[in-house]
Amino acid sequence: MDTKMIGTIMAREVAEIPEVLHRQVQQGLDTYLLAGQQAARTNPRGFVTCARGTSDHAATFFKYVMETRTGLPVTSIGPSIASVYKTQLKLQDLICLTISQSGGSPDLVALQAAAKQGGAQTLALLNEADSPVGRSADTVLDVLAGPEKAVAATKSFLSTLFAILGFAAGFTDDTELETALRSFPDVSKLALNKDWSKAQLPLARAGSVFTVGRGPGLAVAAEAALKLKETCRIHAEVFSAAELLHGPVVLADNRFASLVFDSQDETQESIRAVIQTMTEREAAAFVVTPLAESPDHLHVPDVNHPLLQPLVQIIGFYKFVEKLARNLGENADAPSGLNKVTVTV
């Protein structure tokens, strides 16, 4: 695909995803695997994560991947604990993972420094390795997305998920996952060729949108909600498939729409319950899945490892949401009021 022929910067960067993944397989995957192996040898008691925005969605993905595959706890620490409240942390025998595109936000730098002072090993997943976070971390993994100019991050988020899976494969000695990662760039091209246009009008007309996932799929549901807000100015809210049925579902009616990310794993029963409930309440329910054709399904290609399912889902979504933003007359490259690098303290 000639990315120079694609209109918006965001569209061009989404189209670059297969190229980014090929680069990661060639230049990054062995490093990700080795970092995971080395981390496992230290026998950590668990992990803490440090991130904001899209990067925090990647941290959610890391949480579910590592907790389900290792049994070790993964928890998020709010950067303000260190940057504003100046709390002395007690993190002996833990690994602190900082995830950032730019590696330049002062609050992330402060939390990583506090974590190291509190006894944690520090690991950073960055698209700018030569950055304040990168220069002070014990271990830096470059996600190799290349320059990303659109305000809405896309290829850097996807490449971060890929790096997380490489780290997890090394940590758990999962050769099946490693093999799947090495062949994933070709699968990613198929995800860019899926047509989700039938969901455009229902989402554009909806008063609000629920994005729903569970387990690793919750991370991409959260990312989808953010992108609907920042590129299309559509109100969207993310929920776990379990939490949605505990109360928020009462908001759903024929003015609502939902995007349900089916992870094709042990969470399927709760995903089906959400779909059934939304349909009963006359809300549009679109299911992102590789399953057979039906009116309410948005298709993604089959993958040869369940942990890669969220990755093909978010690739398909990125292509969809960029087109939706253009059709709504929005500037997905530079949404009003947003900057590419958000500096917080």
Side-chain angles (χ1 to χ4, degrees):
M1 182 182 298
D2 185 357
T3 58
K4 293 181 181 179
M5 300 300 293
I6 301 173
T8 66
I9 298 172
M10 181 180 177
R12 293 198 293 271
E13 291 176 348
V14 171
E16 290 171 11
I17 285 173
E19 176 187 336
V20 170
L21 290 168
H22 275 294
R23 182 161 61 243
Q24 285 189 289
V25 169
Q26 295 167 359
Q27 301 176 23
L29 183 53
D30 289 340
T31 302
Y32 307 153
L33 292 163
L34 179 60
Q37 293 163 0
Q38 292 174 336
R41 286 196 287 269
T42 68
N43 294 313
R45 292 188 295 119
F47 299 83
V48 295
T49 61
C50 169
R52 288 201 184 279
T54 287
S55 294
D56 200 36
H57 303 156
T60 297
F61 184 74
F62 179 84
K63 171 183 175 67
Y64 279 103
V65 169
M66 295 304 290
E67 288 184 345
T68 58
R69 298 284 161 154
T70 71
L72 294 173
V74 180
T75 190
S76 170
I77 295 182
S80 64
I81 296 300
S83 64
V84 175
Y85 294 102
K86 313 296 184 185
T87 305
Q88 292 186 350
L89 302 178
K90 301 173 183 178
L91 302 178
Q92 194 70 37
D93 300 324
L94 295 172
I95 295 175
C96 174
L97 172 64
T98 301
I99 303 176
S100 176
Q101 297 156 49
S102 68
S105 192
D107 54 351
L108 303 186
V109 175
L111 179 53
Q112 180 178 258
K116 181 181 289 190
Q117 188 173 4
Q121 304 172 59
T122 55
L123 169 68
L125 281 175
L126 305 171
N127 196 36
E128 292 287 347
D130 186 15
S131 61
V133 169
R135 288 190 291 271
S136 58
D138 295 326
T139 303
V140 179
L141 299 180
D142 192 333
V143 302
L144 300 170
E148 191 173 53
K149 297 180 180 179
V151 169
T154 54
K155 61 178 181 173
S156 64
F157 175 73
L158 194 285
S159 63
T160 300
L161 300 192
F162 186 90
I164 285 169
L165 291 180
F167 177 88
F171 194 96
T172 61
D173 193 26
D174 187 340
T175 55
E176 181 182 351
L177 177 56
E178 177 187 344
T179 299
L181 288 169
R182 293 193 185 280
S183 63
F184 185 64
D186 291 333
V187 179
S188 71
K189 296 177 184 176
L190 301 177
L192 286 173
N193 293 328
K194 299 297 182 180
D195 181 9
W196 292 12
S197 58
K198 60 189 171 185
Q200 292 249 339
L201 184 57
L203 263 65
R205 296 177 61 180
S208 189
V209 177
F210 286 148
T211 63
V212 185
R214 200 168 183 190
L218 183 62
V220 295
E223 173 66 0
L226 176 62
K227 289 298 185 284
L228 284 168
K229 287 192 280 272
E230 69 180 358
T231 66
C232 300
R233 290 200 288 179
I234 291 174
H235 178 261
E237 205 170 352
V238 60
F239 285 101
S240 158
E243 292 299 332
L244 182 66
L245 299 180
H246 276 239
V249 73
V250 302
L251 296 172
D253 57 22
N254 59 11
R255 298 168 297 173
F256 261 66
S258 60
L259 276 177
V260 184
F261 292 85
D262 179 4
S263 295
Q264 293 286 291
D265 61 12
E266 295 89 339
T267 65
Q268 280 193 308
E269 183 176 347
S270 59
I271 292 292
R272 284 194 295 267
V274 166
I275 296 166
Q276 180 179 344
T277 303
M278 295 298 286
T279 302
E280 289 172 352
R281 299 186 68 86
E282 300 183 348
F286 293 99
V287 187
V288 183
T289 177
L291 297 181
E293 187 84 30
S294 73
D296 59 353
H297 284 33
L298 304 177
H299 286 270
V300 292
D302 287 314
V303 292
N304 52 6
H305 195 286
L307 287 178
L308 289 169
Q309 184 71 17
L311 277 66
V312 291
Q313 290 175 329
I314 201 62
I315 292 171
F317 174 80
Y318 281 151
K319 179 184 175 183
F320 166 82
V321 79
E322 186 278 334
K323 185 176 181 180
L324 178 58
R326 280 191 286 117
N327 288 341
L328 290 171
E330 298 293 338
N331 183 359
D333 289 339
S336 176
L338 298 181
N339 297 310
K340 180 60 182 173
V341 178
T342 302
V343 177
T344 49
V345 177

